[in-house]
Amino acid sequence: MTPRDENRTLPADVTLADEELEREASRLDAVWQTKRGLWGWLTTVDHKEIGRRYLVTTFLMFIAGGIEAAFMRTQLMRPGNTLLGPDKYNQLFTTHGTTMMFLFAVPIMTAMGIYFVPLMVGARSIAFPRLNAFGYWTYVVAVVFLYVSLFANTAPDVGWFAYVPLSSPQYSPGHRVDVWAQVVTFTEIAALVAAVNIIVTVFKMRAPGMSLNRVPLFVWAQLVVSFMIVFAMPSVATGSTLMLATDRAINMHWFNPAEGGDALLWQHIFWFFGHPEVYIIFLPALGFITPIVETFSRRKVFGYTALVMSNITTAFFSFGLWVHHMFATPIPELGQSLFTAASMLIAIPTGIQIFCWLATIWSGRPELRTPMLFVLGFFFTFVNGGITGVMLASVAFDKQAHDTFFVVAHLHYVLIGGGVMPLFGAFYFWFPKITGRMLSETMGKVNFWLFVIGVNVAFFPMHVLGLNGMPRRVYTYLPETGWGPLNLVATLGAYAIAVSVVVFIANVIRSLRRAPDAGPNPWDSSGLEWAVSSPPPPYNFVHTPIATSRHPLWDTAIDLPVITGLRSDRREVLLTTAFDARPESRHYHPADSIWPVYLAGCMAVVFIGSIFSPYFVLGGLGLSLIGLAGWGWTGAQDRERERVQVHQSIVDTA
Amino acid sequence: MRRILCAAIVACSLAVACEREERRLNQSSPNGPAVFVAQVPLQPGPTLVTDTAEGPFDDNAYGTSEGQQLFEQMNCSGCHGNGGGAMGPALMDDEWTYGSLPNQIFASIAEGRANGMPSWKYKLTNQQIWELVAYVRSLSGLTPKSPRPAREDHMMVKPAPNQTPNAKPKNTGLPGASQRP
Amino acid sequence: MQIQSALDAASLQARSIEHLWWWMFGVGGAIWLAVIAAMFFALRAARGRRGSDDLQHVPAESHKGLERVVSGAVIITVLVLTAFLVADYAVGRALAAHPSRALTIEVIGHQWWWEVQYDDTNPSRRLVTANEIHIPTGEQVQLKLSAADVIHSFWVPNLQGKRDLIPGYTTTHWIKADKPGTYRGQCAEFCGLQHAKMALHVVAESPAQFRAWFAQASTPNSPPSDSTSLYGQRVFLTAGCSVCHTIGGTTAQATIGPSLTHFKSRATIAAGTLANTRENVEGWIANPQAIKPGTRMPAVPLKPAELTALVSYLETLK
């Protein structure tokens, strides 16, 4: 699909002069800049500021989850260890899982999307800036709530998937599980908000000329994942916020068999979300790999269409797998077998993607810089996890391996190998864009080797431990089981991972202390985000670029065609059509606003208060009405629906 | 500014180690009431007020929940009927024949009472009796609301204690105000 | 024999699963090696290419060749996955085969111990025990699994895959032990504070030995003869023990805690946590919370003489 001819007949193929660009830039700066001080910090709606904050906060959660894991591994280092009693251990492993899954893995992927998708599609901003800010602040409420609870001895202690009846009020007295339920509520709201934002940005705000078949694979992955979030998150919200929280607070009987409820109902509702959740973590990471492989193989990726279709197919299939978490329950065998087939089938699109990347590398000229090393680490680690996943898809084998350390090994291999390794690669790749500074290659290589070795030393022995009978979630074990030596090895691997993360942090701090040394495109990559300065200005692009191919910066040599005509006296963005990205209209974007953070505070009152009294819910909703009124009031003029006149120009990017 | 805010939050949370959520697993059993517990409000001469100390598990969710389990396992419902009373008096209401203070309920359970209340002193440990005390008091809304148990995984035969309104007991066994020194 | 290991099968079911595992391990391992080899090959093959800093342009035939290789790899993937699927279905069918009548044992999961009841149409012939299941070798045994409180999971890796015990459901599980032995299992679904110490033992013995055991287990313990044990029995009945535990042949018939009939015949106590020795039993009764913090068994205050006598009495319950 190519842009329609009328775009090419627009007037004035003009090369814009530098002074004119500078004048335009300073006008845009004045309009798009975030105010200084605490007020500016609270009211910003710049997607890059929000994205940066998200990245920092989620990385802090990664460290917190890692510290919890370090405690757990130290406790399990020897049989009969007394570092942690059962109560503390249960709180730690639950907080570790909840932090990693809800507070780190999904939000960091959406954070990368929030920061980069508008840049990659050539837009000035994300579709709904205030909603974006609201999502971040809601996520912060979840972080604070969970960690204050951890220090107040109120952390959840029922595992990150909180099976009933253990998490029902009779067997989990107090409010620990209510904390868990509301953490899920807040992170689910934040994820939904980010998903909606990304979907609309990708469909309505792409640069002219960027038809769907020219959209970068990073953006495709984020788009697909956003749809998955929209379909999956409501399931866990129903289960956790609606059902479990009401069972506990106002004595509903959703999961009470004696009154007509069902303990298995929780598992179905949770895993219908839970399985897509891990693909929500995995698919964006696949989106990181393509630009890295392309850049460091000096070649356009092999099989663009196959990669896009694989992403979409994986997303669809992932909704049909959830019962493989429940093979040990009394679900009829015939039904379980269908899920075995689906769980094995989903390996095919993922395999296609891996083969396409290997083909790209083979036919390219690979350079082994740090981001590329992490991609190789992904191949090494994730493929292992994927294969154990296919093994676990078999009902018969899963009956031995379910709920043992074999599953722990599998899930960490796929989540770390398939999620965190590409993420580290992405950090090294896009850090110069975000901060304007390069990360050290030497430290990067140390980081990489320690990480890959640490991950494999920590988690490979767990396959053996699981097959040798070690169940999950045990705070200790007897010496006669013989599990001691492998547990010790795993703990040493965990410490190696910790050291590698410390190296990474040191690398970041060291780079941040130096003067900016990265130009707009230090890796000579092809996406539109590399056309702007590092870090990008608040308005992203002085003039909206025109995408003439899948790899704009590789195909347009020196000069980048742009569109002029958007106003620079107010925040204005260009809206384009969904499929062909023809310019359609202009939209007046909102200024900075306090209402997102205010409304996030109201959400905190409503949901945290609901644990204690219904009056908090009423009061919080009442306060929210004020916020919604304020939000709508400042929402300014309607989008001008007139056909926009845009002028195609050329900007000299040399 | 941000840093101060964060530090304040952390400091506050560390200071408020939540009593409701404590699980005192491997600690010695709390002692029975040490002081004299009166069974009737009449006393000759200047009156000694019965010890009004809090039960050790009254504000502890885990202990109250253990009491709920014990109530079922020791078949208290056999006479007290899930709290509504049958052969034995109701425990959900605000009438307390032998007093509703924790020490008084402890004494009632441990010593037994006329007309059929068995003596559990040599069958349950002090810890278990205190847990039952906390649960029984929660049935009528005498303990703080937050640690009270919610619904059980059984048929719902009574409102769960966390939905019971807070109560002020009648006939606590305490001497009336006019009689106290 | 490797204790509690799925890789040391001692039953029909576990053996099928173990064979499936080794087959999948071999094929899966080969695939992993192939992919990693392809990765290294891809890195090395490209090293030889020289050229300007320009982007790599791939000639049309190379591209066609790549297409063929990738398509071939995809086809191989589909075939391998189909093979895995067929293997799984075959093993599943083998595991599902069972006779219409078999010895039936009910296993009820509690926090944190296993209640075991041998079914019989005649109620007086039902046998109730705890934490240790005796089965005859060479025949399929049917287990009926349910839970009294939260979800547990019955897992004896040497003998079978696991099955969840879910409140509100009764599920059926089949085991057929090949050879005599004691097989350790453990709860495999997180069930609270002492999930880690909720183990059980399955003792498989020849059919003759099983019948002998069953006959002996069904007869109540003979009353103790020596004075210390008699005193111990009195302690058992008058202190808090009889409020929760059953001992066949006495007036202690409570079902809140595990049955202690023929207590001394079991190899372990506290759901597989400690060996059943005199010292361990004394330590357990004196302070259960020190060994299993959170367990429902209280620390009953006993004088030293009472404790010694009680343990002597329990030692007579063979």
Side-chain angles (χ1 to χ4, degrees):
Chain A
M1 291 185 282
T2 55
R4 296 253 218 94
D5 281 358
E6 60 188 42
N7 274 357
R8 290 206 214 101
T9 60
L10 284 172
D13 261 19
V14 163
T15 304
L16 295 170
D18 281 345
E19 309 86 56
E20 213 191 306
L21 280 172
E22 274 175 36
R23 268 200 308 274
E24 185 75 356
S26 56
R27 279 196 296 269
L28 284 167
D29 221 35
V31 161
W32 286 88
Q33 185 79 264
T34 301
K35 300 188 203 52
R36 302 224 162 281
L38 177 65
W39 186 255
W41 187 80
L42 287 171
T43 58
T44 184
V45 294
D46 180 356
H47 75 95
K48 296 179 296 301
E49 276 216 36
I50 303 285
R52 249 200 331 271
R53 273 181 222 174
Y54 239 131
L55 287 169
V56 170
T57 318
T58 48
F59 194 77
L60 282 173
M61 287 296 98
F62 178 62
I63 296 173
I67 293 175
E68 285 142 19
F71 272 108
M72 289 156 56
R73 282 303 336 153
T74 310
Q75 163 66 15
L76 288 178
M77 190 157 84
R78 347 179 242 106
N81 205 355
T82 52
L83 174 69
L84 296 169
D87 190 37
K88 275 281 165 289
Y89 186 87
N90 293 348
Q91 288 187 66
L92 277 174
F93 85 70
T94 305
T95 311
H96 167 79
T98 307
T99 299
M100 288 303 200
M101 295 301 282
F102 289 111
L103 297 179
F104 160 67
V106 170
I108 206 168
M109 298 303 179
T110 54
M112 292 292 283
I114 285 167
Y115 192 103
F116 285 108
V117 165
L119 285 164
M120 289 179 174
V121 299
R124 282 244 170 96
S125 167
I126 205 166
F128 304 116
R130 290 173 299 178
L131 194 63
N132 192 23
F134 167 72
Y136 172 71
W137 290 114
T138 308
Y139 163 78
V140 167
V141 170
V143 168
V144 169
F145 190 39
L146 182 65
Y147 278 85
V148 166
S149 303
L150 179 64
F151 287 107
N153 196 22
T154 318
D157 57 351
V158 289
W160 85 275
F161 39 86
Y163 275 1
V164 297
L166 181 64
S167 58
S168 281
Q170 185 176 5
Y171 300 104
S172 277
H175 294 306
R176 291 175 171 183
V177 175
D178 299 299
V179 169
W180 181 87
Q182 301 309 337
V183 165
V184 169
T185 305
F186 296 129
T187 52
E188 175 253 335
I189 292 175
L192 275 174
V193 154
V196 162
N197 243 323
I198 288 180
I199 291 175
V200 177
T201 307
V202 171
F203 276 127
K204 294 302 292 177
M205 291 176 69
R206 298 198 308 278
M210 190 183 280
S211 48
L212 278 182
N213 70 332
R214 289 180 181 171
V215 167
L217 275 157
F218 180 112
V219 176
W220 266 116
Q222 290 283 341
L223 178 67
V224 165
V225 159
S226 300
F227 275 106
M228 290 174 71
I229 290 175
V230 167
F231 284 104
M233 289 290 174
S235 183
V236 75
T238 306
S240 155
T241 315
L242 177 64
M243 296 169 126
L244 185 61
T246 53
D247 258 18
R248 294 179 58 84
I250 57 174
N251 305 316
M252 301 286 277
H253 294 282
W254 301 103
F255 306 117
N256 180 1
E259 287 279 2
D262 192 326
L264 268 186
L265 177 64
W266 168 263
Q267 295 191 30
H268 281 293
I269 292 184
F270 185 85
W271 288 118
F272 184 78
F273 148 81
H275 193 80
E277 153 94 342
V278 306
Y279 284 91
I280 289 170
I281 297 168
F282 175 52
L283 282 184
L286 298 184
F288 302 155
I289 292 181
T290 301
I292 295 176
V293 163
E294 283 184 325
T295 306
F296 294 104
S297 307
R298 310 307 300 152
R299 184 212 185 309
K300 297 177 189 171
V301 74
F302 174 92
Y304 172 92
T305 313
L307 286 165
V308 171
M309 296 311 297
S310 297
N311 269 335
I312 297 175
T313 318
T314 308
F316 267 109
F317 280 0
S318 71
F319 280 89
L321 307 189
W322 80 91
V323 174
H324 70 217
H325 299 271
M326 300 163 66
F327 280 158
T329 63
I331 290 177
E333 298 267 346
L334 177 61
Q336 291 182 344
S337 311
L338 293 171
F339 287 91
T340 298
S343 305
M344 294 195 181
L345 212 59
I346 201 168
I348 298 175
T350 312
I352 291 176
Q353 300 206 36
I354 293 178
F355 301 145
C356 286
W357 289 321
L358 288 177
T360 311
I361 297 173
W362 182 86
S363 57
R365 273 200 323 270
E367 292 169 30
L368 293 182
R369 310 290 291 275
T370 308
M372 189 65 165
L373 284 177
F374 275 104
V375 168
L376 299 182
F378 156 83
F379 288 127
F380 190 84
T381 314
F382 172 76
V383 173
N384 186 326
I387 289 173
T388 54
V390 171
M391 295 177 184
L392 286 167
S394 136
V395 175
F397 174 68
D398 187 67
K399 289 223 166 99
Q400 285 281 28
H402 169 69
D403 245 325
T404 67
F405 265 79
F406 190 92
V407 176
V408 176
H410 159 72
L411 76 92
H412 285 93
Y413 263 86
V414 285
L415 285 173
I416 298 183
V420 179
M421 286 197 190
L423 188 65
F424 270 108
F427 286 158
Y428 278 91
F429 189 61
W430 277 291
F431 186 85
K433 176 54 55 185
I434 301 176
T435 63
R437 294 147 171 91
M438 304 294 290
L439 284 170
S440 152
E441 268 298 306
T442 320
M443 287 176 85
K445 292 192 160 68
V446 172
N447 177 190
F448 167 73
W449 284 110
L450 267 176
F451 193 72
V452 158
I453 293 173
V455 166
N456 281 282
V457 169
F459 294 105
F460 195 82
M462 293 187 185
H463 294 108
V464 183
L465 281 170
L467 291 173
N468 275 338
M470 185 169 179
R472 281 173 85 166
R473 299 166 160 190
V474 290
Y475 75 101
T476 188
Y477 49 94
L478 294 178
E480 43 267 38
T481 53
W483 299 328
L486 284 178
N487 268 298
L488 180 61
V489 171
T491 303
L492 295 175
Y495 293 156
I497 298 175
V499 172
S500 86
V501 174
V502 168
V503 169
F504 174 75
I505 297 170
N507 199 351
V508 167
I509 293 176
R510 178 181 163 280
S511 293
L512 286 177
R513 287 222 178 122
R514 299 197 339 244
D517 60 347
N521 196 355
W523 309 112
D524 193 13
S525 188
S526 67
L528 281 176
E529 76 270 25
W530 303 105
V532 297
S533 62
S534 303
Y539 46 84
N540 293 352
F541 299 92
V542 177
H543 295 292
T544 307
I546 296 176
T548 50
S549 76
R550 282 177 194 161
H551 302 87
L553 295 196
W554 280 356
D555 290 339
T556 52
I558 309 286
D559 301 330
L560 180 70
V562 299
I563 282 191
T564 58
L566 284 180
R567 289 167 65 163
S568 50
D569 59 338
R570 64 178 196 179
R571 295 185 178 186
E572 198 164 83
V573 303
L574 181 67
L575 300 185
T576 58
T577 59
F579 284 107
D580 291 336
R582 273 172 293 119
E584 188 181 57
S585 52
R586 28 169 114 234
H587 190 258
Y588 182 14
H589 251 210
D592 294 359
S593 168
I594 193 64
W595 298 114
V597 66
Y598 173 86
L599 273 174
C602 293
M603 291 293 103
V605 169
V606 169
F607 288 107
I608 299 178
S610 71
I611 298 174
F612 299 102
S613 163
Y615 293 114
F616 282 115
V617 178
L618 292 174
L621 286 176
L623 288 173
S624 313
L625 285 176
I626 303 174
L628 288 171
W631 189 305
W633 210 293
T634 59
Q637 291 79 353
D638 292 338
R639 191 174 77 191
E640 291 170 20
R641 285 195 169 273
E642 76 212 39
R643 274 193 60 81
V644 64
Q645 295 291 316
V646 293
H647 308 276
Q648 182 169 325
S649 312
I650 303 275
V651 161
D652 187 350
T653 56
Chain B
M1 169 62 190
R2 262 179 281 162
R3 271 180 238 146
I4 301 171
L5 209 57
C6 293
I9 293 174
V10 173
C12 284
S13 59
L14 288 172
V16 179
C18 212
E19 167 56 31
R20 179 190 68 229
E21 301 290 347
E22 276 299 311
R23 269 95 162 133
R24 293 189 222 106
L25 298 180
N26 193 8
Q27 292 178 12
S28 52
S29 195
N31 292 324
V35 295
F36 167 71
V37 177
Q39 288 185 32
V40 296
L42 281 179
Q43 287 175 18
T47 44
L48 282 169
V49 177
T50 309
D51 187 357
T52 54
E54 281 293 306
F57 296 108
D58 273 18
D59 51 1
N60 183 270
Y62 184 71
T64 315
S65 163
E66 292 289 289
Q68 183 182 59
Q69 286 235 336
L70 285 166
F71 191 93
E72 181 194 319
Q73 288 172 337
M74 298 301 136
N75 199 28
C76 309
S77 293
C79 292
H80 290 286
N82 279 300
M87 296 188 292
L91 302 174
M92 293 196 301
D93 62 1
D94 55 0
E95 300 267 352
W96 295 89
T97 316
Y98 299 102
S100 69
L101 296 173
N103 287 348
Q104 294 170 324
I105 299 181
F106 187 101
S108 294
I109 298 175
E111 296 167 10
R113 291 285 177 250
N115 298 322
M117 176 66 193
S119 157
W120 291 91
K121 181 170 178 178
Y122 298 105
K123 292 290 194 277
L124 295 176
T125 62
N126 283 345
Q127 166 135 347
Q128 290 175 307
I129 299 180
W130 280 123
E131 286 168 351
L132 277 166
V133 166
Y135 176 65
V136 164
R137 282 166 55 84
S138 77
L139 283 176
S140 54
L142 292 173
T143 55
K145 197 153 200 187
S146 187
R148 279 190 235 151
R151 67 147 175 88
E152 300 168 84
D153 267 17
H154 297 155
M155 282 174 62
M156 185 100 159
V157 296
K158 64 179 191 295
N162 73 338
Q163 283 181 320
T164 309
N166 296 337
K168 275 199 148 0
K170 292 194 317 205
N171 190 10
T172 59
L174 275 178
S178 57
Q179 279 187 286
R180 278 181 241 161
Chain C
M1 181 200 61
Q2 256 186 300
I3 184 177
Q4 202 166 319
S5 173
L7 301 179
D8 192 358
S11 80
L12 163 75
Q13 290 90 354
R15 230 197 344 276
S16 328
I17 300 175
E18 193 188 343
H19 287 157
L20 176 66
W21 153 253
W22 286 120
W23 179 84
M24 291 199 294
F25 175 70
V27 175
I31 293 178
W32 181 81
L33 283 171
V35 173
I36 301 308
M39 182 184 87
F40 280 114
F41 179 70
L43 288 170
R44 297 206 51 189
R47 275 189 195 287
R49 296 203 182 95
R50 296 275 172 266
S52 64
D53 276 334
D54 277 348
L55 297 167
Q56 182 72 11
H57 291 289
V58 180
E61 299 117 37
S62 292
H63 204 271
K64 270 262 168 287
L66 274 178
E67 277 176 18
R68 277 190 225 113
V69 170
V70 170
S71 309
V74 174
I75 292 173
I76 294 176
T77 306
V78 174
L79 290 174
V80 169
L81 289 174
T82 313
F84 270 64
L85 197 61
V86 170
D88 170 56
Y89 285 169
V91 174
R93 287 186 63 111
L95 290 178
H98 57 80
S100 50
R101 283 188 49 182
L103 171 68
T104 303
I105 305 175
E106 284 184 33
V107 178
I108 300 154
H110 295 258
Q111 282 179 319
W112 293 277
W113 56 282
W114 305 89
E115 181 182 343
V116 179
Q117 293 188 15
Y118 286 78
D119 252 1
D120 200 303
T121 43
N122 184 342
S124 67
R125 282 209 290 268
R126 291 173 68 102
L127 174 64
V128 177
T129 177
N131 297 328
E132 199 173 274
I133 307 177
H134 287 247
I135 59 173
T137 55
E139 62 181 74
Q140 293 261 30
V141 172
Q142 182 185 53
L143 299 174
K144 282 220 176 103
L145 307 175
S146 61
D149 36 36
V150 298
I151 299 182
H152 300 273
S153 193
F154 180 91
W155 187 40
V156 185
N158 296 96
L159 293 180
Q160 240 290 32
K162 60 182 62 71
R163 195 78 162 153
D164 283 357
L165 287 70
I166 304 180
Y169 287 83
T170 307
T171 57
T172 312
H173 207 41
W174 292 88
I175 301 184
K176 181 181 173 195
D178 298 328
K179 45 189 200 292
T182 303
Y183 305 103
R184 189 177 192 271
Q186 209 170 330
C187 175
E189 182 62 59
F190 181 63
C191 51
L193 283 166
Q194 284 302 327
H195 165 66
K197 292 188 179 171
M198 185 172 161
L200 73 148
H201 286 87
V202 174
V203 180
E205 30 199 20
S206 71
Q209 280 180 309
F210 172 75
R211 278 193 293 275
W213 169 83
F214 194 91
Q216 211 260 345
S218 303
T219 37
N221 293 113
S222 35
S225 44
D226 68 291
S227 61
T228 318
S229 304
L230 269 170
Y231 179 43
Q233 187 184 49
R234 215 166 61 242
V235 170
F236 182 89
L237 293 172
T238 54
C241 317
S242 55
V243 175
C244 294
H245 291 289
T246 295
I247 292 186
T250 67
T251 51
Q253 296 294 311
T255 53
I256 299 167
S259 166
L260 300 180
T261 314
H262 297 291
F263 173 71
K264 196 58 193 167
S265 69
R266 298 183 205 154
T268 59
I269 62 169
T273 309
L274 297 167
N276 193 352
T277 65
R278 205 198 157 88
E279 299 76 40
N280 284 342
V281 174
E282 253 192 65
W284 168 252
I285 298 175
N287 192 359
Q289 298 291 328
I291 295 165
K292 257 175 111 162
T295 182
R296 296 263 148 67
M297 172 147 160
V300 181
L302 294 173
K303 301 196 201 61
E306 289 173 333
L307 179 59
T308 317
L310 175 61
V311 177
S312 300
Y313 168 60
L314 292 172
E315 294 279 299
T316 67
L317 299 175
K318 295 207 202 324

